[in-house]
Amino acid sequence: MKHITIDVLVIGGGPAGLAAALEAKKQGVQEVMIMERDVELGGILQQCIHDGFGLHRFGKRLSGCEYAERFIQQVKAHHIHVKLKTTVIDILKDKTVFAMNAEEGMLKLQCGTIILAMGCRERTRSQVFIWGTRPSGVLTAGTVQRYINIEGYLPGKKAVILGSGDIGLIMARRMTLEGISVEGVYEIMKSPGGLKRNISQCLIDYDIPMHLSTTVVHIHGNNKLEGVTVAAVDDKRQPIEGTRRYIPCDLLVLAVGLIPENELSAKMGIEIDPKTKGPVVDESFMTSVEGVFAAGNVVTVYDLVDDVSITGEIAGRGAAKYLQGKLNQDTHYQMIHSTNLINLVVPQRFRKNNLENHLTVYMRVREEMKKVYIHGTMNDRVCLHKKLNIVSPPEMVVSNIKKEDISDKGDITMAIERG
Amino acid sequence: MKQEFTCIVCPVGCTLTVDEENHQIKVTGNQCKRGLEFGEKEYTRPMRILTTTVKIEGSLHKRLPVISKGEIPKEQLHQCLQALYELSIKAPIKRGDIVVEDICHTGVNIVASRGIEPLIND
Ligand SMILES: Cc1cc2nc3c(=O)[nH]c(=O)nc-3n(C[C@H](O)[C@H](O)[C@H](O)COP(=O)(O)OP(=O)(O)OC[C@H]3O[C@@H](n4cnc5c(N)ncnc54)[C@H](O)[C@@H]3O)c2cc1C
Ligand code: SF4
């Protein structure tokens, strides 16, 4: 078995991993390596051919692959080691990593620090429970995206989409452009899951109807999908009798959510937050295992790749500081709590003396609210009070709390206050 | 005439109201200047960025993603797509290489949105 010693090992070559590796290198770490199971770097971005990426970072509406390539070129220019077609299969608490690829077989790596950047995976049919047979033609949106945009297959002629998140909406447009007729987008919730701009430019532009409070209740067909039955649902998400409707189709696209990919993290004993489904992280995106950091969708599902890249940079900086012995680990953690209108917060805790200028807090709200204040308190003192015109579940709320407004002791509680 | 649009320039997605009176177009509801410009254009002549893929030969990937270097009038999108589906490109290609110049006389170039290496048989 081949042995490798490395300062920073980044697992996953998506935007989070690329940004993390680059930042660690820029901070002076000698040996940085990215390990990626795919044939190329870029992660999910390589199949996202639509524009709208990088508006914050580059001030331009780039396509996903353009955004990725800008980072990949920098990674190359900075002499970061890259191992493609290599899958990490186990991580031990002492930062030993086992990986394998077809050429070298098993690899054993001894790492100074590890950055987890494995991204997320899509929910499948078995996780949303739909009655019926198991024919071909039931695919997740990401799979359809990969088939159409990279492999050049058209997986159907007439499609029904379940789920109105951004990925579902973008696939509605993409399939229409490729000549697949999209019958409609069905959403079990009362409000759409995706951003307004995507409803406008992906559905309204192409006259694709969206049906809210409606879901797919049955799948028909033996070998090949022949159709689905949809039904309206009540407040308890139960199908309402008399609203069932049969739709003939040969493709059912499931866009029913993403889950952070944390099998490896959980197995090595990293504490997982049941709300984010990712590791509990601190201000440097370090997990509960010392010297192991996490970034991007492995932590929680971000919607914007700009945010993913920022978390990669935070983790990369943290990893470099850790190696250089500059990361304070003596003081106790202060926690970040949230009240009931906020579903989740990242990071969940912090050490004040590791902060540079501010603490960036990512939050996801439970429902759409207009004219609200994002309100942070600490020991009954206000540390953040900012007006927001609108907050909604599809869009992460990002707020910076100034270091000087943070007390040395006590926890932060984040709340949304209606205006 | 009064019309409502969703601004698609950034993820905020402001609801814009465009009002026309005596050939004066007034946009409200925008949170920034970019929305103003979008509202006016959406009302007079809606434009979109076109992204799709074209066939590529001699590489590991079967499709090359392409993007329009500027916005294309919405009503011409379909025509441009048809022109692109006729194409077949040969690898290698670099990001930014022009795939079609002045597509369908829109004055807009279609460029490769990633680089693709040729297939090396090993
Ligand atoms: C189908 C789909 C469509 C999306 N569409 C959009 C969109 O249109 N716009 C948008 O802003 N965001 C979109 N997203 C969100 C997108 O995931 C993030 O913006 C961003 O790509 C996340 O970056 P990441 O680096 O965290 O993860 P990823 O890009 O998912 O990268 C993770 C990488 O880790 C690798 N990996 C995982 N496990 C291992 C292992 N054990 N060993 C080695 N390598 C491993 C994977 O192969 C992958 O390359 C989409 C996500 C999905 C799943
Ligand atoms: S008006 Fe400005 S802030 Fe609002 S969606 Fe458009 S670009 Fe974004």
Side-chain angles (χ1 to χ4, degrees):
Chain A
M1 188 161 46
K2 194 169 169 183
H3 287 247
I4 299 172
T5 321
I6 199 89
D7 297 330
V8 175
L9 178 72
V10 179
I11 305 174
L18 292 169
L22 206 54
E23 186 62 27
K25 192 82 190 188
K26 284 182 185 166
Q27 296 295 325
V29 177
Q30 288 287 325
E31 303 294 333
V32 180
M33 181 185 276
I34 303 176
M35 231 169 225
E36 168 57 55
R37 65 182 170 197
D38 206 343
V39 298
E40 61 184 351
L41 293 175
I44 281 296
L45 289 184
Q46 294 291 18
Q47 65 187 60
C48 298
I49 62 157
H50 54 277
D51 71 307
F53 294 84
L55 201 73
H56 295 296
R57 178 170 295 255
F58 298 112
K60 278 190 191 158
R61 279 155 62 186
L62 302 172
S63 76
C65 28
E66 282 179 307
Y67 186 97
E69 202 168 306
R70 282 172 181 238
F71 273 94
I72 295 169
Q73 278 170 346
Q74 285 195 56
V75 161
K76 284 191 182 144
H78 280 81
H79 306 291
I80 290 165
H81 306 282
V82 176
K83 257 195 203 300
L84 297 174
K85 297 191 239 172
T86 307
T87 306
V88 171
I89 51 172
D90 207 3
I91 315 171
L92 307 181
K93 263 199 169 147
D94 69 353
K95 303 189 215 58
T96 308
V97 171
F98 293 95
M100 57 183 195
N101 64 39
E103 271 164 39
E104 299 162 293
M106 278 283 273
L107 304 170
K108 185 179 180 183
L109 296 99
Q110 206 56 57
C111 315
T113 66
I114 298 170
I115 300 175
L116 307 169
M118 291 92 72
C120 55
R121 69 162 72 135
E122 296 179 278
R123 281 214 181 88
T124 58
R125 174 180 174 181
S126 57
Q127 284 151 307
V128 286
F129 198 74
I130 308 169
W131 286 96
T133 48
R134 302 189 61 83
S136 67
V138 181
L139 297 171
T140 64
T143 305
V144 176
Q145 194 175 48
R146 189 169 178 103
Y147 279 164
I148 296 181
N149 292 348
I150 295 183
E151 324 231 345
Y153 300 127
L154 284 187
K157 291 194 180 73
K158 187 174 175 197
V160 163
I161 300 179
L162 181 61
S164 65
D166 290 314
I167 301 171
L169 300 175
I170 282 162
M171 286 317 290
R173 172 179 63 184
R174 187 68 196 115
M175 290 193 288
T176 308
L177 291 181
E178 288 290 339
I180 299 175
S181 122
V182 179
E183 196 273 343
V185 174
Y186 294 83
E187 168 60 57
I188 195 164
M189 307 294 274
K190 270 186 248 164
S191 59
L195 297 171
K196 284 203 198 84
R197 69 197 286 236
N198 285 334
I199 294 169
S200 169
Q201 63 182 338
C202 297
L203 298 189
I204 297 170
D205 272 7
Y206 298 95
D207 294 322
I208 300 167
M210 164 141 56
H211 308 268
L212 297 172
S213 300
T214 311
T215 192
V216 171
V217 291
H218 209 106
I219 289 171
H220 310 269
N222 284 320
N223 295 318
K224 181 80 195 140
L225 179 68
E226 284 162 17
V228 297
T229 299
V230 297
V233 297
D234 59 21
D235 284 345
K236 295 193 190 77
R237 295 194 213 165
Q238 292 305 310
I240 302 169
E241 278 320 309
T243 63
R244 280 171 197 262
R245 180 162 67 90
Y246 178 80
I247 306 164
C249 61
D250 62 356
L251 180 60
L252 173 64
V253 179
L254 300 175
V256 287
L258 305 169
I259 315 163
E261 172 105 26
N262 278 295
E263 274 67 24
L264 289 172
S265 332
K267 201 171 146 216
M268 74 177 289
I270 284 179
E271 187 187 340
I272 302 284
D273 178 347
K275 285 184 186 162
T276 58
K277 312 250 183 327
V280 171
V281 291
D282 66 14
E283 78 298 323
S284 311
F285 278 63
M286 188 167 82
T287 67
S288 63
V289 175
E290 195 195 297
V292 177
F293 296 77
N297 281 355
V298 107
V299 177
T300 182
V301 178
Y302 291 90
D303 318 276
L304 295 179
V305 71
D306 286 309
D307 290 334
V308 166
S309 303
I310 290 169
T311 65
E313 281 159 3
I314 298 174
R317 252 193 321 275
K321 274 191 183 169
Y322 173 81
L323 282 177
Q324 294 152 356
K326 289 187 202 150
L327 202 63
N328 173 295
Q329 292 185 70
D330 300 335
T331 47
H332 285 293
Y333 275 127
Q334 293 171 268
M335 309 301 290
I336 307 175
H337 306 289
S338 61
T339 57
N340 58 353
L341 287 175
I342 299 173
N343 243 351
L344 57 89
V345 279
V346 170
Q348 291 87 347
R349 57 193 185 188
F350 65 99
R351 287 190 176 106
K352 189 188 165 188
N353 36 24
N354 284 330
L355 295 175
E356 279 152 26
N357 306 314
H358 53 247
L359 173 68
T360 305
V361 187
Y362 296 89
M363 289 153 282
R364 203 178 282 283
V365 296
R366 235 175 246 280
E367 56 190 80
E368 183 174 308
M369 289 169 275
K370 284 193 174 128
K371 302 239 183 304
V372 293
Y373 289 92
I374 179 89
H375 192 73
T377 48
M378 226 180 159
N379 308 327
D380 300 323
R381 252 191 40 238
V382 178
C383 59
L384 179 78
H385 191 71
K386 203 172 102 191
K387 190 175 175 178
L388 297 171
N389 276 327
I390 186 164
V391 291
S392 67
E395 229 200 313
M396 206 86 121
V397 179
V398 190
S399 273
N400 289 326
I401 307 178
K402 287 201 209 101
K403 190 178 177 182
E404 65 239 38
D405 292 334
I406 298 175
S407 320
D408 295 334
K409 287 207 177 68
D411 297 348
I412 295 179
T413 302
M414 301 300 302
I416 297 280
E417 284 182 359
R418 297 182 198 257
Chain B
M1 208 177 62
K2 211 177 192 166
Q3 256 182 296
E4 273 199 356
F5 303 107
T6 303
C7 179
I8 61 170
V9 178
C10 92
V12 176
C14 298
T15 305
L16 308 176
T17 309
V18 184
D19 230 335
E20 188 180 352
E21 254 175 60
N22 316 321
H23 305 290
Q24 276 284 317
I25 295 176
K26 210 178 100 207
V27 181
T28 49
N30 56 304
Q31 278 184 45
C32 79
K33 268 199 203 135
R34 284 179 301 195
L36 218 63
E37 199 185 311
F38 175 83
E40 263 184 54
K41 240 196 310 183
E42 191 68 2
Y43 182 84
T44 47
R45 192 166 187 235
M47 310 276 277
R48 293 289 182 268
I49 295 277
L50 176 61
T51 60
T52 186
T53 61
V54 298
K55 194 172 167 197
I56 185 158
E57 282 172 285
S59 76
L60 192 60
H61 295 318
K62 299 285 176 279
R63 309 294 297 180
L64 168 73
V66 296
I67 187 165
S68 60
K69 222 31 214 165
E71 291 183 316
I72 291 174
K74 209 166 130 180
E75 78 260 11
Q76 264 179 285
L77 286 176
H78 189 71
Q79 188 194 354
C80 295
L81 264 176
Q82 291 312 314
L84 287 169
Y85 288 151
E86 311 275 300
L87 287 183
S88 180
I89 307 289
K90 277 208 165 43
I93 194 150
K94 287 202 302 295
R95 170 166 59 97
D97 281 356
I98 296 175
V99 171
V100 183
E101 210 166 318
D102 182 20
I103 186 147
C104 302
H105 311 292
T106 53
V108 176
N109 293 343
I110 302 288
V111 303
S113 80
R114 63 167 291 180
I116 291 190
E117 309 265 317
L119 190 63
I120 304 158
N121 294 319
D122 50 2

